[in-house]
Amino acid sequence: MAPISIDAAALLTSVQSIVPEIIVVATAIFVLLLDLAISEEKKHLLCGMGLLGIGVALFSVYALGQGRIEGFSGMIVHDGMGAFFDVVILSACALTFLMATGYSEWEGTHKGEFYSLILLSTSGMMFMAKGTDLMTVFLGLETLSIPIYVLVGFHRNRMSSLEGALKYFLLGAFASGFLLYGIALIYAVTGTTKIPVLATMLYDPRILASPLFLAGTGLLLVGFAFKVSLVPFHMWTPDAYEGAPTVVTAFMSAAVKAAAFAALIRVLLVALPGMQPVLWKVLWGLAVLTMTVGNLSALVQNNVKRLLAYSSIAHAGYILVGLVSGDVLGGQASLFYLLVYAFMNMGAFGVVMLIAQKEDEGYDIANLAGIGFKYPALGALLTLFLISLGGIPPTAGFVGKFYLFSAAVKNGYIWLAVIGVLNSAASIYYYLRMVVYMYMVTPDVEVAVPRPPRILFSMALCASAVVVVVLGIIPRSVLEIAERSVLSLLM
Amino acid sequence: MMDPSAYLLLSGILFGIGVAGVVVRKNVLIILMSVEIMLNAVNVAFIAVGSHLGDVTGSVFAFMVMTVAAAEAAVGLAILIAIFRLKETIDITELSVLKW
Amino acid sequence: MVDGILNYLWLVPALPLLGVIVNSVIALFVERPLLLAEEDHGAPSHGPSTRGTSAPMGEGHGASHAAPAYRKLVAFVGPAVVGASFVVSLLAVLALAARPAHDRLFVQVLFPWIQAGTFFAPAAFQLDPLSSVMILVVTGVGFLIHVYSVGYMSHEKAFARYFIYLNLFTFAMLLLVLGSNFLLMFVGWEGVGLCSYLLIGYWYEKKSAADAGKKAFIVNRVGDFGFLVAVFLIFWTFGTVEYTEVFGKIPGLAASGVLTTGIATAITLLLFVGAVGKSAQIPLYVWLPDAMEGPTPVSALIHAATMVTAGVYMVARTNALYLLAPTSMAVVAVVGAATALFSATIGITQNDIKRVLAYSTVSQLGYMFLACGVGAFTAGIFHLMTHAFFKALLFLGSGSVIHALSGEQDMRKMGSLRKHLPITFTTMFIATLAISGIPGLSGFFSKDEILWKSFSSGHGHVGLWLVGTAAAGITAFYMFRLVFLTFFGDSRMEPEVEKHVHESPYSMTVPLMLLAVLSVAGGWIGIPHVLGGYNYFEEWLAPVFAHGAEGAAHGGAHASAALEVLLMAGSVGVALCGIGLAWYLYRVRTEVPKEIADRVPGLYDLVLNKYYVDEIYDVAIVRKIVNGSIWLWEAFDTAFLDGIVNGIAALVKGAGERTRRLQTGVVGNYAFSLLLGAVILVGFLLWS
């Protein structure tokens, strides 16, 4: 037999397109090996190594430049959108590591596996965001999910942690089944799983009308909706978020959502624009349901982590609003909001981490009493993040919501915007409830003493705060980047 | 190649059984098994279609799914063991500390 | 090159604004901490003495606390910026005068301010003969009053705050008179109203002062409403609010029938409502006497020389519109004349020296409106200018008296002060002569022109002339009453006060002297033909009032020189009668006034209590509004609206509780919900 020829140029390009991911995976392996070598006291080095790796990966994203680099015969692409999401996901990962410097010490997650798993999950997210073949998307999804299942259950001595992990795992596998079946059906009808090819296939009206195809799309959406925690596929979210070690919760809320939305956006805008006239109703219903249920449930929560989990669900609803119209304007708004959301949510979780003394009971909202005046910096930071989450100017959260809803209005979905705004208004209640507890409620016993801060931890919080404030005042440049990213999808 | 509709029908039935298992059963191990049934149903579908179209993608996908299923099973069982060590039960109705 | 100076017109309002900023910085970072620290140590923050109402007494006259260094800076910056503004104004006006007469209009656009659809209002200043007179008066008299204030307010603790407000007022007033469109004028209008409130209530810890400030602001607001509606109408009719454009369009629109007499009347009447509020005419004059609660220099600047004249300026500016609406002009003239007489009668009985001057101001403002109402706009502005001189002098002089008497303001407790306060006496006497219309002094020329025009103009009427002349006589009477009671006769001062009586420092007396000179000579630029002079003033203002001059000249069938001189003599005679009566009652037979008062106690009380106008307003209007507000608050707001809001909140919370219970904690249920969602989703896709 003739030797199999290797197309060297294509191989090189392929490797180039996944350079950031390679770096992240390499760091993960390196951290794992390093863990064997160093002693107990020096475990924090692992964290530093991880940060270094992320830094290099971020630099590589920047170095790869603006162009479109396709790899592995169309299975993965590093384009504007890929780069954007790489940055978002890596930033979330970096923030997680910064926060883990303190958290690991207090809650005992200073293990090589911990950091390695986070990094592996990150690489999975990046693959998912850049995948142009449904197979890559699926693999990325699983690569990101499996480490997270472990991470959620990392506190093996706490029932809530393990239970959260179990529920997430079972439901995650369940949803993956749906996703896969959807892909299978689509494959059955169109004969391909490549996203750009799907787009061309959809010009054929027989395919659009085929029940198998429609069912396949529906199941595909179910799979994505699960990951993004849209209602009624969201039920794992509150339990998993509440049970997981808080630093993992923060990571999940920001990064997983970003990656899943990236894939969803790619599928919706590239593969399925032809289906928009039908799909928008589905997306509309999902968005409204998600926003409403998320906000309503959050109103009556007393556990801060659970509250933020429901708020996270509601935010997924807001982001989906931008995708209902299926055009660049909405996509741009969704991208911008995902970036902003990552920072403000992680910031909020970060401050909450500092205040809580221990898992589970420490996260009761009553523990916030009196913090505002006794530890003004913490109070101010948390207030800033909560205000941004609530969408009050001049924060980035407001700008994001503004663009989301105005995109909806510009495309004629007035009622959607109205419901969105009403929900936003209702959400302010539970965000400000926390602020009220901080400043206006006197504690029964002592005011909870927050953990002593680590420099890196504080850096993470400050960075988040700066992003929230700056993007609230000068969002123009980031919005343009988001717009270019979405446009690069459609080229 | 054979008409894949029979295989797709089989795949559908298997999938349905798997889904029903996940929803109805209380034993975590059984739920896990049901999930595996679902994933294998998908595999059947992939292979059937891939074979019908003469495209290798279907088979490759099946490989991927099997690999992922294995990894998931490993992780899931590990979590289950951890839970059992802590609480000595694998009945999901008892494993509901987190609610409301 | 001379013309190039006009490009610095913007400095005229900008310099006082600079003063505001500098003084604010000083007040915020130096004075306020100082005052707060002293308060903590138990020292009184400031306060008028319990006796007088508007005297700046701290711990007592002549208190020996060393003035902190920052005061010197404020005392320099405050007056200096206004002085510099005056210099620039003077140069600008000279530059304007260098131009030929038909070319005396300069507009400097700073930036396009508001642009919404077809509505465009630039931030621009307009310098023409009318605004040039105004800026000279505002900055010139303003500068003298700023200098005076340095001495008068030297005992006050909140020294910087005073100058912030005073500079801010100057800035706003200059915006008002320099603005090239109605909107900018309105901004200045509101600004001076605000500063008036801030300055009247300068001693805000005194309830009467705070109340007076509130009253001024609220009554002004009533007038401002009319102004604003008028501006809307102007925009609606003309499509613009720029003066040059509006007035330029008048002939065209009047000919084409768009600008009917009805619309013109509506616009001008509404504008006049604004003027009535700002310039204290009937029925919105009630705030001005109460405004005497403020420091005396404030009364001089705002409530005599400048702010209250804004209404007159506004009417004069829009004279082209008024001439299209004879009904409005009649209203203006009648209101002006009536106010002049009405207010003068109240002045006869008042015992507070500042109140007399307040009612005198209201009365003189009536004259200005009378002039405008009969088409003699030049005369109105002329009187505005001369009144600024002698009324400011009178107020500052009274301030000097009050300062000398450690806060005493009741004339019944004064007397024989001409020996103790020679400069004050001389200057005030000159001012009194001026206001009474004694020939040769400024007041004579301006008042006489008004009276003559009210008789002879096409819009005039002999009835108006009669009322005006009567008021002139009464004016002379009560002004000389004031002089006699204060400066002549035996001392009726309390012994404690008498011990400390002294003439005021130079910072206070020099402005008095300068104003006295102006009170004498200020009228010499407007000597009428009939007396052999040349009316430079009328010529200067001619381009602005071109139509007015025609109008005034048109009806003058009676306009013969002899008649003019005759009427002139008549008004002088009436003034002399007033003076003579005052001499008789307050120098010769000083017991007579009391006998008269006892003979007609009802009438006396009526006049003394200002005809109970304030009380009538309170019962008829204020109480009703207050009761309505209380009802709205209790019944509507608390019960109804709050009920709705709280009800919705409870509803939402209930929904939240319901939703929360969906999360059972059992994985199977979660999976079921997922399945359900999937089925619905796919089903929907398949069936649509």
Side-chain angles (χ1 to χ4, degrees):
Chain A
M1 263 177 33
I4 306 172
S5 60
I6 301 179
D7 187 349
L11 192 59
L12 201 59
T13 326
S14 306
V15 169
Q16 215 185 352
S17 70
I18 57 166
V19 161
E21 286 80 10
I22 293 179
I23 296 176
V24 173
V25 172
T27 317
I29 298 178
F30 181 65
V31 166
L32 205 51
L33 292 174
L34 195 60
D35 182 41
L36 295 171
I38 61 180
S39 56
E40 266 308 309
E41 304 83 45
K42 298 243 178 70
K43 290 289 183 187
H44 55 271
L45 262 185
L46 299 169
C47 201
M49 283 285 109
L51 271 170
L52 194 61
I54 296 172
V56 175
L58 271 169
F59 176 72
S60 73
V61 172
Y62 169 69
L64 278 177
Q66 303 263 33
R68 189 187 169 85
I69 310 175
E70 282 197 17
F72 297 101
S73 40
M75 298 210 80
I76 203 162
V77 68
H78 180 90
D79 56 0
M81 176 126 151
F84 184 88
F85 275 105
D86 273 356
V87 169
V88 174
I89 295 167
L90 283 170
S91 311
C93 189
L95 284 174
T96 311
F97 267 83
L98 287 171
M99 293 202 272
T101 52
Y103 187 82
S104 296
E105 222 174 297
W106 309 321
E107 296 288 344
T109 52
H110 245 336
K111 304 218 167 70
E113 310 90 73
F114 186 76
Y115 301 113
S116 179
L117 284 169
I118 295 185
L119 285 166
L120 286 171
S121 182
T122 308
S123 72
M125 293 174 196
M126 289 158 77
F127 278 117
M128 189 176 177
K130 288 157 76 163
T132 43
D133 186 319
L134 287 172
M135 197 185 310
T136 324
V137 170
F138 166 68
L139 284 175
L141 179 72
E142 292 302 326
T143 312
L144 87 85
S145 303
I146 297 182
I148 297 252
Y149 300 150
V150 178
L151 285 170
V152 171
F154 213 80
H155 281 168
R156 280 179 300 173
N157 302 317
R158 269 184 27 203
M159 198 55 212
S160 52
S161 178
L162 290 172
E163 191 182 309
L166 182 71
K167 287 181 181 164
Y168 194 9
F169 165 70
L170 286 176
L171 291 168
F174 191 50
S176 293
F178 277 90
L179 181 81
L180 277 172
Y181 204 65
I183 297 179
L185 288 176
I186 292 178
Y187 177 57
V189 176
T190 60
T192 172
T193 53
K194 287 205 177 359
I195 294 180
V197 181
L198 273 177
T200 54
M201 290 252 126
L202 282 178
Y203 290 134
D204 186 347
R206 283 175 307 153
I207 292 189
L208 267 180
S210 149
L212 272 183
F213 182 77
L214 291 172
T217 316
L219 291 173
L220 188 71
L221 272 179
V222 169
F224 280 119
F226 167 84
K227 213 63 197 167
V228 167
S229 31
L230 300 177
V231 172
F233 314 105
H234 70 289
M235 299 211 141
W236 59 274
T237 312
D239 295 350
Y241 279 35
E242 189 183 346
T246 318
V247 85
V248 173
T249 312
F251 180 58
M252 275 199 292
S253 71
V256 171
K257 223 178 230 62
F261 261 116
L264 183 62
I265 292 176
R266 217 180 265 276
V267 167
L268 281 178
L269 289 188
V270 179
L272 303 176
M275 279 191 74
Q276 208 267 342
V278 177
L279 265 184
W280 78 264
K281 294 184 206 149
V282 172
L283 293 174
W284 195 100
L286 280 175
V288 168
L289 206 56
T290 309
M291 290 191 281
T292 315
V293 171
N295 277 315
L296 283 181
S297 306
L299 289 176
V300 292
Q301 291 301 324
N302 283 324
N303 180 308
V304 173
K305 268 167 89 173
R306 214 171 169 79
L307 190 151
L308 286 174
Y310 278 113
S311 120
S312 176
I313 295 174
H315 279 278
Y318 300 137
I319 298 174
L320 196 64
V321 167
L323 298 178
V324 170
S325 54
D327 69 339
V328 175
L329 208 59
Q332 166 193 16
S334 294
L335 256 67
F336 179 80
Y337 201 78
L338 277 166
L339 175 67
V340 166
Y341 174 71
F343 281 97
M344 60 185 177
N345 216 24
M346 292 198 82
F349 271 115
V351 179
V352 165
M353 252 191 270
L354 280 179
I355 296 175
Q357 299 291 51
K358 50 182 178 154
E359 290 284 346
D360 290 332
E361 297 84 50
Y363 289 97
D364 195 284
I365 199 171
N367 284 336
L368 286 177
I371 293 274
F373 289 117
K374 214 156 174 228
Y375 302 101
L378 281 179
L381 274 173
L382 189 58
T383 309
L384 174 67
F385 292 127
L386 290 173
I387 287 181
S388 184
L389 283 167
I392 300 177
T395 57
F398 166 73
V399 175
K401 282 206 177 108
F402 173 75
Y403 277 101
L404 278 169
F405 295 137
S406 61
V409 169
K410 281 205 187 116
N411 285 308
Y413 301 104
I414 314 276
W415 273 111
L416 188 59
V418 169
I419 295 175
V421 171
L422 283 175
N423 267 297
S424 215
S427 76
I428 295 183
Y429 166 72
Y430 55 80
Y431 291 127
L432 286 186
R433 193 161 155 245
M434 288 170 69
V435 178
V436 166
Y437 261 96
M438 279 201 292
Y439 288 103
M440 298 182 204
V441 175
T442 46
D444 308 323
V445 281
E446 286 275 310
V447 175
V449 178
R451 318 280 200 160
R454 299 262 165 273
I455 304 179
L456 292 177
F457 202 117
S458 315
M459 257 176 61
L461 290 178
C462 288
S464 307
V466 165
V467 168
V468 165
V469 172
V470 167
L471 283 185
I473 305 177
I474 330 172
R476 194 95 302 261
S477 41
V478 176
L479 276 169
E480 276 169 16
I481 296 177
E483 191 180 13
R484 268 186 274 133
S485 308
V486 177
L487 283 173
S488 74
L489 265 188
L490 307 169
M491 286 198 299
Chain B
M1 204 37 237
M2 251 192 78
D3 177 27
S5 40
Y7 291 99
L8 285 175
L9 193 60
L10 172 65
S11 152
I13 295 174
L14 276 176
F15 194 76
I17 294 175
V19 167
V22 172
V23 173
V24 174
R25 299 300 294 247
K26 285 194 281 198
N27 187 318
V28 179
L29 278 171
I30 306 287
I31 296 179
L32 213 47
M33 278 196 278
S34 309
V35 172
E36 293 296 324
I37 295 178
M38 282 167 66
L39 290 176
N40 281 308
V42 175
N43 273 346
V44 169
F46 266 120
I47 295 171
V49 175
S51 173
H52 170 74
L53 292 173
D55 187 7
V56 78
T57 314
S59 312
V60 171
F61 229 120
F63 265 117
M64 300 291 164
V65 174
M66 279 194 274
T67 318
V68 167
E72 272 190 343
V75 168
L77 287 169
I79 296 177
L80 196 54
I81 293 179
I83 288 182
F84 192 75
R85 267 201 211 136
L86 208 52
K87 206 168 170 186
E88 305 248 337
T89 174
I90 50 173
D91 184 332
I92 53 165
T93 49
E94 287 173 35
L95 293 170
S96 52
V97 169
L98 297 168
K99 55 183 171 201
W100 316 133
Chain C
M1 197 227 87
V2 169
D3 212 62
I5 296 177
L6 287 171
N7 290 321
Y8 291 99
L9 186 61
W10 60 273
L11 274 179
V12 173
L15 284 166
L17 186 61
L18 177 67
V20 172
I21 295 173
V22 170
N23 285 329
S24 295
V25 167
I26 296 177
L28 201 57
F29 293 110
V30 178
E31 186 172 87
R32 192 164 173 273
L34 219 66
L35 289 180
L36 288 175
E38 281 188 19
E39 236 175 65
D40 288 339
H41 293 205
S45 60
H46 64 66
S49 69
T50 50
R51 194 178 357 224
T53 52
S54 54
M57 301 308 293
E59 300 90 33
H61 186 58
S64 57
H65 56 269
Y70 77 87
R71 287 183 172 231
K72 298 224 171 86
L73 186 59
V74 171
F76 173 71
V77 170
V81 288
V82 182
S85 188
F86 174 70
V87 170
V88 177
S89 308
L90 193 58
L91 291 173
V93 173
L94 288 174
L96 194 72
R99 292 188 177 188
H102 57 84
D103 193 26
R104 289 186 187 142
L105 179 74
F106 174 73
V107 177
Q108 178 177 41
V109 180
L110 290 180
F111 57 90
W113 173 34
I114 296 184
Q115 214 164 342
T118 50
F119 182 77
F120 178 64
F125 296 136
Q126 174 170 321
L127 188 66
D128 62 8
L130 179 59
S131 57
S132 64
V133 171
M134 297 303 296
I135 59 173
L136 285 177
V137 168
V138 171
T139 53
V141 176
F143 172 64
L144 291 174
I145 295 181
H146 274 76
V147 170
Y148 179 94
S149 299
V150 169
Y152 192 77
M153 305 294 281
S154 57
H155 299 292
E156 279 302 314
K157 294 206 178 183
F159 192 66
R161 178 159 69 94
Y162 175 82
F163 278 98
I164 299 175
Y165 293 159
L166 214 60
N167 276 344
L168 187 62
F169 167 82
T170 315
F171 169 67
M173 189 71 203
L174 286 167
L175 275 187
L176 197 159
V177 297
L178 272 180
S180 75
N181 55 64
F182 285 98
L183 208 56
L184 201 54
M185 183 208 266
F186 187 67
V187 170
W189 190 272
E190 292 294 309
V192 296
L194 171 71
C195 293
S196 170
Y197 164 78
L198 289 172
L199 284 164
I200 294 174
Y202 176 71
W203 289 305
Y204 54 82
E205 281 156 18
K206 197 158 167 252
K207 185 165 194 306
S208 55
D211 286 344
K214 256 194 304 181
K215 186 171 180 181
F217 197 76
I218 294 174
V219 175
N220 254 258
R221 224 58 192 113
V222 176
D224 293 349
F225 169 70
F227 188 147
L228 207 50
V229 176
V231 174
F232 295 155
L233 270 179
I234 290 176
F235 176 64
W236 186 55
T237 313
F238 292 90
T240 171
V241 288
E242 277 287 299
Y243 295 152
T244 42
E245 290 173 29
V246 169
F247 300 139
K249 282 189 186 179
I250 288 183
L253 287 178
S256 69
V258 172
L259 184 59
T260 62
T261 313
I263 293 184
T265 310
I267 294 178
T268 48
L269 276 181
L270 285 167
L271 283 174
F272 186 57
V273 168
V276 163
K278 189 67 80 185
S279 301
Q281 298 296 292
I282 293 176
L284 295 176
Y285 67 92
V286 291
W287 63 271
L288 191 55
D290 283 22
M292 297 300 115
E293 291 282 341
T296 310
V298 168
S299 306
L301 182 61
I302 299 186
H303 307 125
T306 45
M307 184 181 96
V308 291
T309 56
V312 183
Y313 165 75
M314 186 249 280
V315 172
R317 174 60 76 194
T318 51
N319 66 83
L321 282 169
Y322 275 93
L323 288 168
L324 291 174
T327 321
S328 300
M329 291 192 61
V331 169
V332 171
V334 168
V335 169
T339 309
L341 185 60
F342 178 76
S343 191
T345 57
I346 302 183
I348 301 175
T349 54
Q350 297 302 310
N351 291 315
D352 182 327
I353 192 173
K354 283 183 76 175
R355 296 257 157 163
V356 177
L357 294 176
Y359 285 106
S360 165
T361 304
V362 174
S363 180
Q364 297 301 308
L365 288 167
Y367 273 107
M368 296 180 217
F369 282 109
L370 171 60
C372 292
V374 299
F377 297 101
T378 314
I381 298 294
F382 192 19
H383 197 59
L384 191 159
M385 188 177 76
T386 60
H387 176 261
F389 299 147
F390 54 70
K391 191 46 72 61
L393 173 53
L394 282 168
F395 267 111
L396 293 185
S398 74
S400 180
V401 167
I402 298 171
H403 174 94
L405 293 182
S406 317
E408 185 57 69
Q409 291 184 194
D410 192 330
M411 293 190 293
R412 294 172 291 195
K413 296 200 191 145
M414 298 184 190
S416 84
L417 283 178
R418 76 166 186 280
K419 296 179 229 147
H420 302 279
L421 311 174
I423 305 180
T424 307
F425 165 67
T426 319
T427 51
M428 278 194 80
F429 191 70
I430 294 176
T432 314
L433 287 176
I435 197 176
S436 305
I438 299 301
L441 297 165
S442 60
F444 165 70
F445 294 111
S446 58
K447 191 182 285 194
D448 242 71
E449 195 176 332
I450 294 176
L451 289 176
W452 167 239
K453 286 279 159 56
S454 70
F455 182 83
S456 68
S457 152
H459 301 268
H461 191 275
V462 69
L464 291 173
W465 177 85
L466 273 173
V467 170
T469 314
I474 302 180
T475 304
F477 172 71
Y478 68 69
M479 284 311 299
F480 270 89
R481 168 178 175 261
L482 186 151
V483 166
F484 291 142
L485 280 178
T486 309
F487 293 105
F488 286 80
D490 307 316
S491 161
R492 299 180 300 281
M493 291 186 272
E494 292 189 16
E496 262 304 305
V497 168
E498 196 164 355
K499 266 195 269 175
H500 294 283
V501 165
H502 62 284
E503 183 60 275
S504 305
Y506 276 123
S507 62
M508 287 166 66
T509 53
V510 168
L512 291 179
M513 293 190 269
L514 286 173
L515 283 171
V517 170
L518 284 171
S519 298
V520 174
W524 293 347
I525 55 171
I527 304 179
H529 279 282
V530 130
L531 292 179
Y534 186 70
N535 199 335
Y536 296 103
F537 200 69
E538 183 160 359
E539 188 196 322
W540 175 249
L541 285 177
V544 184
F545 299 136
H547 310 279
E550 295 161 24
H554 268 297
H558 316 272
S560 75
L563 193 58
E564 192 176 341
V565 174
L566 189 63
L567 290 177
M568 212 180 283
S571 67
V572 172
V574 165
L576 288 174
C577 283
I579 299 175
L581 188 60
W583 172 272
Y584 181 69
L585 288 178
Y586 295 101
R587 289 292 293 137
V588 178
R589 302 272 300 276
T590 51
E591 70 284 359
V592 175
K594 186 139 194 327
E595 283 173 27
I596 300 179
D598 290 338
R599 202 87 72 75
V600 282
L603 185 63
Y604 179 71
D605 278 336
L606 183 68
V607 179
L608 180 61
N609 285 305
K610 331 159 243 136
Y611 301 100
Y612 294 108
V613 173
D614 281 311
E615 289 75 7
I616 296 174
Y617 279 175
D618 187 46
V619 170
I621 301 174
V622 176
R623 292 262 176 85
K624 295 224 165 54
I625 295 181
V626 169
N627 289 336
S629 298
I630 294 181
W631 177 80
L632 276 177
W633 164 42
E634 287 173 357
F636 194 66
D637 193 28
T638 309
F640 185 60
L641 287 180
D642 277 351
I644 293 182
V645 172
N646 290 342
I648 293 183
L651 202 73
V652 174
K653 203 147 186 207
E657 275 290 332
R658 233 52 77 58
T659 323
R660 184 194 197 195
R661 298 280 149 174
L662 285 175
Q663 193 100 357
T664 57
V666 179
V667 184
N669 295 356
Y670 295 2
F672 178 67
S673 120
L674 208 154
L675 178 64
L676 199 63
V679 166
I680 294 177
L681 203 154
V682 174
F684 183 79
L685 274 178
L686 285 176
W687 262 274
S688 68

